[in-house]
Amino acid sequence: MPWASDEPQTLEQKVQLLRNFRSLFDRGENFVYGLFSRDESEVVGGSGLHGREGEGAFEIGYWIRSSRAGQGLATEVSAALTRVGFEVCGADRIEIHTEPANERSMKIPLKLGYKEEARLRRRLYAAPGGEPRDAVIFSLFRSDYPDTPAATAELEAYDALGARML
């Protein structure tokens, strides 16, 4: 992932990054989440519900550290963010973009009921010095959502004050 080339960051850089994430979150523009082990001793990944797809739409992004791959974490967080996107944020469409060569990532939206919508050449950001990468776009619409595995995913969602939302 191109953003990983900025790592490791200094403490000051990381604090600024987190402040920026929080600002965007508070304005309802971009929702970035850290994924942690149950005991909160390890960062196992990250995810987000990103408002970069236009009015009434979100894109779900995710990454899982290689030592935790294959444990269903990306599927679980994608299901949760799908539910939040439709049931809390009122989205009409949610997308997941993957690289065609990333077989594990390609399976996640299909497991949740998303449909492959397009394969686009040279669409994903390039790593510094690299070439843009191809993308497969999966989408799910509000009208199709109730009949998908994502709609029945068991989860609990809470707001910043601890009140249950789902």
Side-chain angles (χ1 to χ4, degrees):
M1 296 185 182
W3 55 263
S5 66
D6 295 337
E7 297 294 341
Q9 292 183 323
T10 66
L11 178 59
E12 294 79 21
Q13 289 172 314
K14 194 60 75 178
V15 167
Q16 186 57 45
L17 178 67
L18 294 174
R19 284 184 177 149
N20 184 49
F21 285 163
R22 177 60 192 257
S23 174
L24 293 169
F25 197 105
D26 289 346
R27 292 194 313 259
E29 297 174 12
N30 194 28
F31 306 100
V32 175
Y33 298 92
L35 305 177
F36 303 89
S37 59
R38 287 200 185 276
D39 66 3
E40 298 182 0
S41 66
E42 176 184 38
V43 176
V44 298
S47 191
L49 193 59
H50 309 296
R52 52 187 169 219
E53 297 306 315
E55 186 70 28
F58 289 100
E59 177 189 345
I60 293 174
Y62 47 82
W63 67 271
I64 302 296
R65 78 179 315 133
S66 58
S67 64
R68 299 298 293 266
Q71 298 177 4
L73 299 172
T75 303
E76 181 179 354
V77 73
S78 295
L81 290 179
T82 298
R83 285 197 58 192
V84 169
F86 287 124
E87 297 178 31
V88 177
C89 298
D92 182 55
R93 183 182 81 251
I94 300 177
E95 296 180 359
I96 296 176
H97 301 189
T98 67
E99 287 189 60
N102 187 338
E103 293 177 16
R104 280 186 167 154
S105 191
M106 291 275 291
K107 291 178 183 176
I108 292 167
L110 295 172
K111 285 182 198 174
L112 298 175
Y114 284 72
K115 302 293 183 211
E116 183 177 324
E117 186 169 314
R119 288 179 180 250
L120 305 173
R121 297 180 334 153
R122 300 172 53 97
R123 185 54 59 110
L124 296 175
Y125 299 110
E131 292 289 322
R133 300 158 301 146
D134 294 351
V136 179
I137 312 297
F138 295 90
S139 63
L140 183 60
F141 291 91
R142 171 180 286 287
S143 58
D144 299 323
Y145 165 68
D147 298 323
T148 66
T152 59
E154 291 186 34
L155 69 104
E156 296 177 5
Y158 298 87
D159 67 16
L161 300 176
R164 186 168 181 178
M165 300 170 66
L166 290 176

